[in-house]
Amino acid sequence: MRIGASLTAAAAAVVAGAAAADVDPIVIKGSKFFYKTNGTEFFIKGVAYQEDFSSNGTISGGTSYTDPLANTDNCNRDIPLLTQLQTNTIRVYAVDPTKNHDDCMEALQNAGIYVILDLGEPKVSINRDTPEWSQTVYSRYTAVVDTFAKYTNTLGFFAGNEVSNAPNNTEASAFVKAAVRDMKAYIKQKKYRPMGVGYATNDDETRTNLANYFDCGSPSDAIDFWGYNIYSWCGHSSYRESHYEERTEEFSSYNVPAFFAEYGCNVVDKVITPRTFEEVGTLYGKDMSKVWSGGIIYMYFQEANQFDSDISEDDIKDNFDFICDPKNGDYCSGINTNATTGVYGAYSMCSPSQRISWAMDAFYKDQTANNPDNNNPCGFKGAKKQTPKANGACEAVNSQAGAAGTGVVTSAPTGTGSSGSSASTTGAAAITSIPSFNFGMLQLAAYVTVAVLVGASMVVL
């Protein structure tokens, strides 16, 4: 991500395109986008569209965000300007799936503008420092898919943006790829029209390896498109000097559509300067258009550059550090994740408070059975003891997970529910076709809450 600037100066630079009253859905064939009905190739002529929001998920002034597609007045104000720029695509980084988006999406459709949406939001997404593919994140992502699947101008979704940005955090990409796989399976299971799920990377040394990683394996697990955030063309540059030529050669044989998910450097010799958009002509010219499917200018707006329990995040971390220290015993195999070896505990997708509750319970049972000198095995800050209630719907999955939580879960609980709802004990049979990710069925967390695990007693937060 970079500081944005007003785009009115770019209107003449963006490649022309005609708006249509009803948009033709975009489909993917090989490494290119096409209009579904007439079969002509589709090039993204895009603009990032979200106020007070950085592409890495940070927000100016706090953690709340404004959904730009739920503000009809702003859409009616901005869409004519986007049309003047001959925009055919916008990228939106965070939306509220509980709000109504009909007016904005219809207005965009009438202007011939498609939408690519990031599935996360600042408080619910895959974090590079503490990555997890949890029921909470899953529910957030499916809710966005459910909300926007009905609009024919929804082009696709990003399951992550710049999540891995250095060699020491590339394991976080395993969780993003799990999200890609499960969102693709969810779209298919819900019988929605085909909509792509991809990933957007930043321009660093991990770029090539990540591109290969996200594109490898079964097509059901791999990305549908690749977004590249690149700011190497600054001021007066060239195809070669900006490294556009090198990047184009790298992606010349890529299997899925690749495009610039962000571009538009405004810093020359460490000084913020007005952008000349000279790279636009090159991006859509003969050297690059055979490989790249267009790009999204960052950005439309001028920018300046919790746990519902009795325990704090710091206390949870302290409890994790103690219980999960191998010197104190093996209590965390059922909740641990290892993206390098591909080994994931059966309960690793649960929330932090649920995971530490499970580990506390394992610690409590071991100490009461094997350490009579420990007269207070429940003495963790924020913890209390309660008697669990068995849930028949979870019997099979609990049995497969095993007492240590290291078994492979292939069964799915029974019940009914909604994909976009938060975790509960009522279940979500609608998503039982989601494939396993070593630790078993993703929706397990909707059933395996601390109150339904098998055992004589349970330590909970």
Side-chain angles (χ1 to χ4, degrees), residues 25-82:
I26 303 302
V27 297
I28 297 171
K29 297 179 181 180
S31 61
K32 293 292 185 178
F33 293 110
F34 295 90
Y35 291 97
K36 180 180 180 181
T37 300
N38 62 30
T40 58
E41 186 172 352
F42 175 82
F43 288 92
I44 293 172
K45 296 170 286 186
V47 176
Y49 183 75
Q50 188 133 24
E51 196 166 9
D52 295 328
F53 195 94
S54 296
S55 65
N56 62 3
T58 60
I59 300 172
S60 303
T63 58
S64 62
Y65 64 93
T66 300
D67 182 344
L69 301 182
N71 190 322
T72 303
D73 290 340
N74 284 3
C75 287
N76 290 336
R77 176 198 68 196
D78 296 334
I79 290 174
L81 298 175
L82 291 167

Side-chain angles (χ1 to χ4, degrees), residues 28 61 171 179 304 373 395:
I28 297 171
E171 70 171 21
D373 295 331
E395 183 175 355

Side-chain angles (χ1 to χ4, degrees), residues 317-338:
K317 181 180 183 302
D318 291 342
N319 291 340
F320 266 125
D321 289 344
F322 175 80
I323 294 179
C324 295
D325 187 334
K327 297 193 301 256
N328 297 323
D330 184 11
Y331 305 112
C332 295
S333 294
I335 61 173
N336 284 339
T337 63
N338 190 321

Side-chain angles (χ1 to χ4, degrees), residues 44 50 57 59 85 91 149 196 207 232 246 262 274 352 369 386 405:
I44 293 172
Q50 188 133 24
I59 300 172
L85 294 172
R91 178 182 178 182
R207 173 189 61 253
S232 61
E246 185 178 349
E262 293 175 8
Q386 73 176 33

